[in-house]
Amino acid sequence: MTQIKTKTFITDNFLLQSKEAEILYHAYAKDMPIIDYHNHLSAKLIAQDRPLGNITEAWLSEDHYKWRGMRANGVEEKFVTGTASLEEKFLKWAETVPHTVRNPLFHWTQLELKRYFDIDAILQPSTAQEIYKKANAVLATKTPAQLLEDMKVEVVCTTDDPTDNLAYHKKIAAGKFFTKVLPTFRPDALFFIGESKYIDYLKKLEDCVAFAVDSFSALLKAIDNRIAYFHDNGCRLSDYGIAGPIVMQEVTTEDVTAIFEKFLKGETLSDSEINKYRSYLLLYLGKQYHKKNWVQQYHLGALRNNNTRLQEQIGADAGCDSIADYSMAEAMSKLFNTLNSSDQLAKTITYNLNPSQNEVFVTMMGNFNEGGIPGKMQWGSAWWFLDQKDGMERQVNTLSNMGLLSRFVGMLTDSRSFLSFPRHEYFRRILCDLIAEDVNKGLVPNDLEFLGKMIQDICYYNAVNYFDFN
């Protein structure tokens, strides 16, 4: 095979702009293990323990970041999500990569090629065929579990519907895997009362719990059943990711019982009734998470499925979501304050998608730090469209100004790809460079051992102490 020759782009000191940054990264951050507490990886692929085989499947099969980039570059849909061959799709992605300069996709692509395949060449049409062959040769021998171990990933938390039987998580737990693979309870489907598909979902839930969900009290019993099942299988986190703002309306158990009965009778629910139902469910779930000492997560601020034609053609995750401008503060305050008033507020992480609301989110989380838990209320890492150098820097700086950066639980991938873990390296390099910049400006002490300890906490130890994975 012809060796690919190129000037190295991803150098040892990539993104590190000073000697202090180099020391902080190489001596303190670089070798820390990874706890990836939120992602969308497939437990099935890990449990099957077979090599991925093809870089197109590993990189492009579910990556809406790359899909959006390819569409913006004028690539026809058949090469994005359509019927073109795996090699043809990869070559179209290779045509797109040079046009992603200054987009995070360019950095991520080159970091992943370097870390997983030891490829320094810039992916572009002239290098695409050789890179495709070399990457596929590696992936023909590497299972997902081995890829995770290579990146020193100690824990990954997948994202799972309450009706999942967690069979693959059980298989992984019973096997000899380096990485602990734990489920996350994602009950979004429970909130869509008023839609015809909700009846089908209730039947699916009935199959899991082996009793009829024919009343609201039975629904709550089923929810408790599934939470206990997830907990017994290692779950320590929940997540909420429904588009739109959180809604919080005054509602009683009698109100929501009547709403549920009305729906079961086939009657149409008003928007107010749906919002009352969702409000009650949010509070109920929050209390159950607190009982289990789980961490609850809220991903807020997406405007989903804007392109209905592509949605109908491809499905809900077509890559047609964007940043929304919903009002968030009042509903978050009411949700967290209601739970906190009865001392039932679990450890909480919020993520915002609209950067104009950075200060809104970080100051909201600072209102409810009670109970002697360091960093109990977390404003999470830069999410989705903000998961890039500028977004990470703004998140770190805003958290530093209005919270405690030293208690931050750090980075996650939020990815479906087993090749995405250099994003932790990306974040660590950016963090080290920011702290070093403060050193050189005289804004923090020139004590790299002191600062290195804080960096290691953010990269790893804070997450170890925050999540009850053991």
Side-chain angles (χ1 to χ4, degrees):
M1 183 183 296
T2 303
Q3 185 175 2
I4 303 168
K5 296 181 180 179
T6 185
K7 184 177 179 181
T8 301
F9 172 61
I10 304 297
T11 64
D12 287 345
N13 294 322
F14 175 62
L15 298 180
L16 306 174
Q17 302 300 308
S18 67
K19 182 58 64 177
E20 290 77 12
E22 294 172 13
I23 294 170
L24 288 173
Y25 177 71
H26 291 291
Y28 296 98
K30 179 181 178 181
D31 294 324
M32 299 305 294
I34 289 172
I35 293 178
D36 201 63
Y37 55 90
H38 175 71
N39 60 65
H40 301 272
L41 296 180
S42 167
K44 178 179 179 180
L45 289 178
I46 300 172
Q48 289 176 334
D49 206 28
R50 295 197 295 263
L52 293 174
N54 188 281
I55 191 171
T56 304
E57 291 182 319
W59 250 8
L60 297 172
S61 63
E62 296 183 89
D63 193 335
H64 51 82
Y65 292 89
K66 292 186 178 69
W67 295 353
R68 289 170 70 95
M70 292 170 76
R71 290 171 186 148
N73 196 44
V75 175
E76 295 180 50
E77 194 63 32
K78 71 175 183 178
F79 297 107
V80 181
T81 63
T83 58
S85 70
L86 295 177
E87 184 171 359
E88 288 173 321
K89 289 178 178 179
F90 180 84
L91 295 178
K92 287 297 183 181
W93 170 237
E95 290 179 14
T96 300
V97 168
H99 297 281
T100 66
V101 169
R102 302 201 85 238
N103 183 289
L105 285 167
F106 188 80
H107 283 169
W108 293 348
T109 295
Q110 296 308 135
L111 266 173
E112 290 165 16
L113 288 174
K114 177 67 175 177
R115 295 296 171 247
Y116 291 103
F117 311 111
D118 195 27
I119 292 174
D120 288 312
I122 302 300
L123 180 57
Q124 54 190 303
S126 62
T127 61
Q129 290 284 0
E130 292 179 52
I131 289 175
Y132 186 70
K133 291 176 183 177
K134 183 171 183 179
N136 285 347
V138 172
L139 292 176
T141 65
K142 291 274 188 177
T143 67
Q146 289 170 327
L147 293 170
L148 292 171
E149 184 172 353
D150 287 347
M151 293 292 112
K152 298 201 295 189
V153 183
E154 289 188 348
V155 179
V156 297
C157 296
T158 59
T159 304
D160 309 280
D161 185 86
T163 60
D164 195 307
N165 64 16
L166 305 183
Y168 295 110
H169 293 83
K170 291 180 181 180
K171 184 175 180 180
I172 294 166
K176 295 181 180 179
F177 291 88
F178 173 84
T179 305
K180 185 179 293 186
V181 181
L182 303 177
T184 296
F185 191 79
R186 175 88 170 237
D188 290 4
L190 289 168
F191 287 83
F192 288 100
I193 194 169
E195 299 186 12
S196 58
K197 65 181 180 181
Y198 201 65
I199 292 292
D200 292 334
Y201 187 76
L202 292 179
K203 291 177 180 176
K204 191 176 179 181
L205 186 60
E206 288 178 339
D207 291 339
C208 289
V209 298
F211 58 79
V213 182
D214 53 4
S215 67
F216 187 64
S217 61
L219 176 65
L220 297 184
K221 180 182 176 183
I223 290 172
D224 292 349
N225 177 294
R226 299 311 294 168
I227 288 175
Y229 181 79
F230 268 61
H231 189 85
D232 290 344
N233 284 281
C235 178
R236 296 296 181 267
L237 292 96
S238 69
D239 191 26
Y240 174 95
I242 295 174
I246 290 176
V247 292
M248 287 302 299
Q249 293 192 10
E250 296 295 333
V251 60
T252 66
T253 303
E254 292 74 22
D255 292 335
V256 76
T257 297
I259 291 167
F260 193 76
E261 290 176 354
K262 182 178 178 180
F263 173 73
L264 290 182
K265 291 176 183 177
E267 299 178 31
T268 301
L269 301 182
S270 67
D271 289 343
S272 177
E273 288 172 322
I274 291 171
N275 287 337
K276 284 183 177 181
Y277 181 86
R278 289 185 168 188
S279 299
Y280 191 98
L281 207 55
L282 273 171
L283 290 170
Y284 184 82
L285 288 167
K287 294 172 183 177
Q288 303 312 106
Y289 303 151
H290 179 266
K291 282 183 182 179
K292 293 294 187 183
N293 194 31
W294 285 8
V295 175
Q296 58 180 353
Q297 300 174 97
Y298 297 88
H299 286 84
L300 304 171
L303 187 63
R304 298 187 183 272
N305 301 319
N306 295 274
N307 186 329
T308 55
R309 184 180 62 80
L310 266 180
Q311 181 190 2
E312 291 168 2
Q313 178 181 336
I314 299 166
D317 295 315
C320 301
D321 305 332
S322 60
I323 294 171
D325 56 358
Y326 307 120
S327 175
M328 294 288 184
E330 289 80 4
M332 276 198 296
S333 176
K334 192 167 185 178
L335 171 62
F336 299 146
N337 188 54
T338 301
L339 293 168
N340 192 61
S341 295
S342 58
D343 196 21
Q344 293 176 290
L345 179 59
K347 290 180 283 188
T348 303
I349 308 174
T350 59
Y351 310 83
N352 63 293
L353 197 53
N354 191 329
S356 70
Q357 295 182 333
N358 282 0
E359 289 80 3
V360 171
F361 273 67
V362 71
T363 56
M364 181 58 66
M365 303 313 286
N367 293 324
F368 301 102
N369 277 311
E370 299 177 67
I373 302 171
K376 175 183 177 180
M377 304 295 287
Q378 293 275 330
W379 176 45
S381 60
W383 173 44
W384 200 341
F385 294 110
L386 309 183
D387 182 13
Q388 25 79 5
K389 186 173 182 293
D390 178 66
M392 291 180 193
E393 290 173 344
R394 291 175 67 177
Q395 192 270 348
V396 167
N397 287 330
T398 305
L399 179 57
S400 300
N401 287 332
M402 300 179 184
L404 295 181
L405 175 64
S406 61
R407 291 298 186 183
F408 179 38
V409 292
M411 182 59 177
L412 49 86
T413 61
D414 191 24
S415 174
R416 291 172 172 81
S417 171
F418 289 98
L419 302 183
S420 65
F421 285 86
R423 292 185 194 180
H424 283 265
E425 175 187 339
Y426 196 59
F427 167 78
R428 292 173 181 186
R429 288 176 178 272
I430 290 167
L431 175 66
C432 290
D433 196 62
L434 280 174
I435 300 301
E437 183 179 354
D438 283 351
V439 170
N440 289 316
K441 289 180 178 178
L443 298 175
V444 300
N446 191 356
D447 184 339
L448 298 189
E449 183 177 356
F450 169 76
L451 297 171
K453 170 63 168 61
M454 182 183 77
I455 285 169
Q456 289 184 330
D457 286 344
I458 295 168
C459 294
Y460 178 69
Y461 289 112
N462 286 347
V464 170
N465 295 325
Y466 189 73
F467 302 106
D468 184 23
F469 291 137
N470 294 320

